[in-house]
């Protein structure tokens, strides 16, 4: 039954319990078209559920110089899936197959940091981390979530781990529409405790009570502007993304929280249910916090709208160069620095000589993959196949991001 459930949900759905909290509902405002503009950001954090939890961890690890803490509902340790969907399903959601140990994934992180594909893991030391796994969660095995706690603790993060709540696989919120122990759309569950406050308290140190009436705005922006190559759909992200901006953040300093939905929780699948019921905007208003809600989308390779944590879109999914990772970071930069990311019309002078294709600068850095003068988008299926063929070739750069065989 559990294996059948895992295969059905793939990289995550999400669930919740009835409770008696006295909570005032403050519906998210209707979205208004706009762009991501610069704010006075004093700290950047990330949170997520299930596939979004894996993505949150990937962002925190790869960009540990940017993110100062993470809140994660029901996910495993960094790159548990190892670019393999079977491993994702059978080892990183359920435990029918062996998976990499936390120690092995910690060494993988150090090795990648040594080559510059992720930031130094020393940055994780001292970072506040809040983790959650419900006792009624049969989608991601508790042992997998425990690995994530071990991974963070071994790197010196300050971990609080809530693993005693009788919750299903879901984002847990005091205004969630589902019962605590369920796992069903829209995967936002109501349990007896306000774990959103618990999470934010761990990340920020302390929090003011949530607002009963929202004063901010929900900005709907074009994710194409921030996607590598200008196409969100090509990296399995939706056209629209959202950001809740409290009124106080228009003129004063604020923190930034990047919040990543789980599978079957995209805007195209459940509308604004997560943004409306996650109970983040209510705390954003009273605690000086902008909430960024990036959006993945469905595709043939990703029918449930999951974030890429096993390599369905790119083998570099867990690296700084991962296409979805890059897009989210471009959004973070736009909110922190103002405006969309610069275009790729760089004027860098190409090197004159020929170098082997196995050279690190080709295999890891942000180069295009090539054959016979044709270039392909970094991370595309065409690129990866061609790269396997031309691993031992000798290449010459003729223009920025354009390589040909010598």
């Amino acid at each position: 039954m559990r294996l059948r459930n895992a295969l059905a949900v793939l990289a995550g759905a999400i669930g919740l319990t009835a409770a008696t909290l006295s909570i005032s509902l403050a519906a998210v405002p209707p979205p208004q078209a706009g762009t991501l503009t610069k704010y006075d950001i004093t700290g950047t954090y990330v949170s997520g559920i299930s596939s979004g939890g894996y993505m949150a961890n990937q962002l925190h690890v790869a960009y540990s110089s940017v993110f100062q803490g993470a809140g994660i509902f029901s996910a495993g340790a960094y790159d548990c899936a190892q670019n393999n969907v079977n491993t994702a399903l059978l080892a990183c959601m359920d435990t029918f197959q062996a998976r990499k140990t936390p120690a092995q994934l910690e060494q993988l992180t150090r090795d990648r940091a040594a080559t510059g594909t992720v930031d130094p893991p020393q940055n994780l030391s001292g970072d506040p981390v809040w983790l959650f796994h419900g006792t009624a969660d049969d989608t991601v095995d508790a042992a997998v979530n425990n690995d994530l706690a071990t991974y963070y603790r071994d790197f010196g993060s300050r971990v609080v781990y809530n693993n005693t709540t009788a919750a299903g696989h879901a984002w847990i919120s005091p205004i969630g529409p589902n019962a605590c122990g369920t796992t069903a759309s829209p995967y936002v569950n109501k349990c007896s405790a306000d774990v959103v406050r618990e999470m934010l308290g761990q990340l920020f140190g302390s929090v003011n009570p949530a607002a009963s009436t929202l004063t901010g705005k929900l900005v709907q922006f074009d994710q194409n502007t921030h996607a590598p190559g200008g196409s969100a759909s090509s990296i399995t992200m939706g056209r629209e993304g959202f950001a809740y901006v409290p009124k106080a953040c228009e003129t004063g300093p604020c923190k930034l929280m990047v919040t990543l939905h789980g599978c079957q929780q995209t805007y195209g699948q459940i509308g604004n249910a997560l943004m409306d019921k996650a109970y983040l905007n209510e705390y954003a208003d009273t605690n000086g916090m902008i909430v960024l809600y990036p959006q993945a989308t469905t595709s043939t390779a990703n029918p449930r709208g999951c974030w890429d944590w096993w390599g369905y879109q790119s083998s570099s999914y867990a690296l700084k160069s991962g296409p979805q990772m890059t897009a989210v970071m471009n959004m973070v930069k736009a909110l922190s620095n103002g405006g969309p990311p610069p275009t790729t019309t760089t004027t860098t002078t190409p090197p004159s000589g020929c170098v082997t294709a196995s050279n690190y600068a080709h295999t890891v850095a942000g180069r295009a993959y090539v054959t016979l003068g044709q270039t392909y988008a970094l991370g595309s299926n065409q690129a990866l196949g061609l790269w396997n063929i031309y691993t031992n070739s000798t290449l010459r750069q003729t223009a920025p991001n354009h390589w040909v065989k010598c």
Side-chain angles (χ1 to χ4, degrees):
M1 174 65 74
R2 293 188 58 206
L3 174 59
R4 187 162 61 249
N5 182 47
L7 290 170
V9 296
L10 189 58
I14 321 171
L16 167 97
T17 245
T20 57
L21 292 177
S22 176
I23 299 294
S24 297
L25 300 180
V28 66
Q32 53 183 274
T35 58
L36 297 182
T37 56
K38 181 179 179 181
Y39 295 93
D40 184 4
I41 301 300
T42 59
T44 304
Y45 302 82
V46 64
S47 59
I49 164 68
S50 196
S51 74
Y54 271 104
M55 184 70 168
N57 173 252
Q58 288 172 190
L59 284 164
H60 188 200
V61 171
Y63 291 96
S64 58
S65 62
V66 175
F67 292 97
Q68 296 169 246
I72 297 173
F73 291 84
S74 196
Y78 175 76
D79 204 3
C80 177
Q82 297 288 289
N83 195 33
N84 187 297
V85 66
N86 289 328
T87 302
L89 287 170
L90 302 178
C92 301
M93 292 178 63
D94 223 316
T95 53
F96 293 107
Q97 290 183 359
R99 64 189 180 281
K100 295 286 187 181
T101 66
Q104 289 173 318
L105 296 176
E106 290 156 23
Q107 188 57 51
L108 172 66
T109 307
R110 295 186 190 97
D111 293 343
R112 289 179 175 178
T115 63
T117 57
V118 303
D119 284 347
Q122 294 91 327
N123 295 336
L124 300 173
S125 180
D127 276 5
V129 172
W130 181 89
L131 306 178
F132 184 94
H133 186 272
T135 60
D137 185 345
D138 289 329
T139 302
V140 173
D141 195 279
V144 176
N145 215 113
N146 295 344
D147 285 356
L148 179 59
T150 299
Y151 176 92
Y152 270 124
R153 285 171 176 150
D154 286 352
F155 278 129
S157 301
R158 295 184 290 111
V159 177
V160 168
Y161 184 15
N162 183 333
N163 61 353
T164 60
T165 302
H169 190 67
W171 181 282
I172 309 303
S173 161
I175 59 172
N178 290 356
C180 188
T182 62
T183 297
S185 184
Y187 310 108
V188 186
N189 292 4
K190 181 179 180 181
C191 296
S192 58
D194 182 356
V195 300
V196 177
R197 182 183 182 106
E198 179 185 310
M199 175 181 73
L200 296 178
Q202 167 64 1
L203 297 183
F204 302 158
S206 63
V207 290
N208 297 320
S212 58
T213 303
L214 297 182
T215 63
K217 61 183 179 181
L218 185 67
V219 178
Q220 179 175 325
F221 62 92
D222 187 352
Q223 291 193 144
N224 290 316
T225 304
H226 308 281
S231 173
S233 63
S234 70
I235 60 170
T236 324
M237 291 180 65
R239 178 173 181 176
E240 62 279 305
F242 301 87
Y244 179 76
V245 182
K247 187 175 182 180
C249 297
E250 298 282 357
T251 56
C254 275
K255 297 174 284 290
L256 173 61
M257 172 64 76
V258 178
T259 297
L260 299 155
H261 60 75
C263 302
Q264 298 182 299
Q265 271 193 322
T266 69
Y267 182 69
Q269 293 165 307
I270 64 169
N272 69 359
L274 179 64
M275 294 181 283
D276 189 36
K277 301 302 184 184
Y279 212 53
L280 285 169
N281 306 326
E282 289 79 359
Y283 280 111
D285 257 16
T286 55
N287 290 275
M289 178 178 74
I290 293 170
V291 187
L292 174 65
Y293 297 101
Q295 299 292 309
T297 192
T298 58
S299 68
T300 301
N302 179 41
R304 294 180 178 268
C306 306
W307 290 101
D308 191 1
W309 64 277
W310 70 89
Y312 72 78
Q313 201 280 318
S314 168
S315 63
S316 62
Y317 62 93
L319 307 179
K320 294 173 76 171
S321 59
Q324 291 183 352
M325 301 271 279
T326 300
V328 173
M329 283 306 301
N330 284 342
M331 298 174 197
V332 169
K333 292 173 184 177
L335 288 165
S336 304
N337 303 322
T343 61
T344 56
T345 55
T346 175
T347 57
T348 303
T349 301
S352 57
C354 294
V355 291
T356 60
S358 59
N359 183 280
Y360 169 76
H362 291 278
T363 59
V364 177
R367 305 289 193 247
Y369 295 87
V370 302
T371 176
L372 302 176
Q374 278 187 297
T375 58
Y376 295 88
L378 179 63
S380 71
N381 290 333
Q382 291 170 307
L384 296 174
L386 291 168
W387 192 245
N388 289 332
I389 296 171
Y390 288 94
T391 298
N392 297 316
S393 298
T394 301
L395 305 179
R396 174 173 56 87
Q397 189 176 13
T398 59
N401 291 328
H402 186 212
W403 298 76
V404 297
K405 291 180 68 177
C406 293

